[in-house]
Amino acid sequence: MFSVSGRRMLLLETDEGLTGVRLGGNADVARVFSALEGQEQDLACRPWRRRRDEIAPGTRRERVEGARREQDMRMRKALVVRGGWEGHDPVGCTESVMPALEHAGFEVEVAEDLAVYEDAGLLAATDLVVHSWSAGDLTAAQEANLVDAVEAGTGFAGWHGGVVATNVANPRYLRMLGGRFLWHPEGFQEFTVRIASAPDRDGEIVEGVTDYDVETEHYWVVTDSLNTVLATSVLTPGPADPWHEPVEFPVVWTRRWGAGRVFVCTLGHRVADLRVPQTAAIVGRGLVWAARA
């Protein structure tokens, strides 16, 4: 509602553009609203265009472009870095989650070369890095730029070997991540993903998800107590295994590193794993959670 020259005016967004309606007698209001339904539209709108331009100067194109610029400024930016060992299908797996990022309002850029981490400016302007690059190695500069960006607030997230079975010679990366893959039994295993009943924080990522069964690679990982564990699994020894008691491992965790957030899920060997409804929900929420707010 605006006041121009002592007269109140209601602004309406119509197919004609931004239109002003002077609040007066009922007959005037009815006439304008009938015009908006297609009757005498030009006649009804013409008197108000001058008022519109007083209140919101500029052409309709300028106003639309300005609104788009504001929307672009509000959109968060996600950088998907994919490649490495093809056995983890980095292209297929990242393509399966990118629609969820776009639906959440992210502008998504894809890089298929680790050299993207040499662009410190790009990383600083990125709200979320999704890393899917198994069996990779970062140069000293790439590692420094990535970790520095996360410590300054850029989010970092990923799944399976794309984050925990890579960059094993990069200690700053591993400390930021909070875990590393060591081994998995041969082939796919059936096991239960156990959702933490009362996590210390970040429970919204697994809210509404109950324990569920999967059939995929069962990762043995090493982690530390800085992580908030949101889901676990238990690996039971077989007769020939050198350990003799069931071992519980984290499957999903979050981590704070400097001003940044880190999200990790050890599931996700193949696209089908990421399409399990519970896993899809957890990963989708985790990516959004990790991004800079």
Side-chain angles (χ1 to χ4, degrees):
M1 185 82 69
F2 294 87
S3 177
V4 178
S5 301
R7 297 181 179 180
R8 290 186 300 168
M9 183 177 291
L10 176 69
L11 294 184
L12 301 175
E13 182 68 27
T14 73
D15 292 339
E16 185 69 21
L18 190 65
T19 300
V21 180
R22 182 168 61 86
L23 299 187
N26 292 335
D28 288 343
V29 173
R31 182 165 178 255
V32 172
F33 274 92
S34 68
L36 296 180
E37 294 173 359
Q39 301 175 26
E40 303 177 357
Q41 182 171 352
D42 187 65
L43 177 62
C45 292
R46 188 181 305 124
W48 309 113
R49 290 195 184 108
R50 289 190 298 274
R51 295 296 192 187
R52 173 202 65 191
D53 293 337
E54 291 177 26
I55 296 168
T59 66
R60 175 166 173 75
R61 175 178 294 180
E62 290 171 343
R63 290 192 295 274
V64 169
E65 290 177 352
R68 286 175 178 167
R69 284 194 297 270
E70 290 179 5
Q71 182 179 12
D72 289 342
M73 291 176 63
R74 289 193 299 269
M75 288 184 70
R76 290 189 287 179
K77 299 183 184 299
L79 174 65
V80 175
V81 182
R82 65 191 187 190
W85 185 56
E86 291 295 330
H88 283 157
D89 194 3
V91 173
C93 287
T94 53
E95 290 290 332
S96 73
V97 304
M98 282 166 55
L101 284 173
E102 292 168 348
H103 181 73
F106 285 87
E107 177 186 344
V108 180
E109 178 179 346
V110 176
E112 297 185 340
D113 192 325
L114 292 174
V116 72
Y117 290 141
E118 295 166 12
D119 190 341
L122 173 64
L123 296 176
T126 297
D127 299 300
L128 173 67
V129 172
V130 179
H131 190 86
S132 182
W133 197 294
S134 298
D137 288 294
L138 299 174
T139 67
Q142 291 167 356
E143 178 186 34
N145 287 342
L146 173 59
V147 177
D148 286 350
V150 173
E151 291 179 356
T154 297
F156 185 86
W159 53 85
H160 201 60
V163 284
V164 298
T166 193
N167 306 329
V168 297
N170 297 106
R172 282 192 69 193
Y173 170 87
L174 293 174
R175 289 197 302 273
M176 174 192 78
L177 189 73
R180 176 180 170 182
F181 164 78
L182 292 184
W183 173 81
H184 67 74
E186 187 68 24
F188 288 174
Q189 309 290 313
E190 294 182 1
F191 59 94
T192 299
V193 177
R194 301 181 175 186
I195 304 300
S197 59
D200 294 336
R201 54 186 175 181
D202 310 331
E204 65 271 20
I205 295 173
V206 293
E207 184 176 357
V209 181
T210 57
D211 295 357
Y212 65 102
D213 296 330
V214 296
E215 183 177 0
T216 188
E217 289 182 339
H218 199 172
Y219 267 22
W220 184 308
V221 294
V222 289
T223 60
D224 62 48
S225 60
L226 286 179
N227 296 338
T228 298
V229 177
L230 301 179
T232 64
S233 65
V234 174
L235 208 162
T236 303
D241 287 324
W243 76 96
H244 306 295
E245 298 178 3
V247 184
E248 187 172 20
F249 296 102
V251 172
V252 179
W253 69 81
T254 58
R255 186 176 182 89
R256 271 78 173 172
W257 198 250
R261 291 178 167 189
V262 176
F263 168 81
V264 177
C265 175
T266 65
L267 305 173
H269 175 82
R270 52 188 174 167
V271 172
D273 294 335
L274 294 171
R275 288 180 175 166
V276 173
Q278 297 93 326
T279 303
I282 291 171
V283 171
R285 294 172 185 173
L287 298 182
V288 174
W289 171 89
R292 190 196 323 265

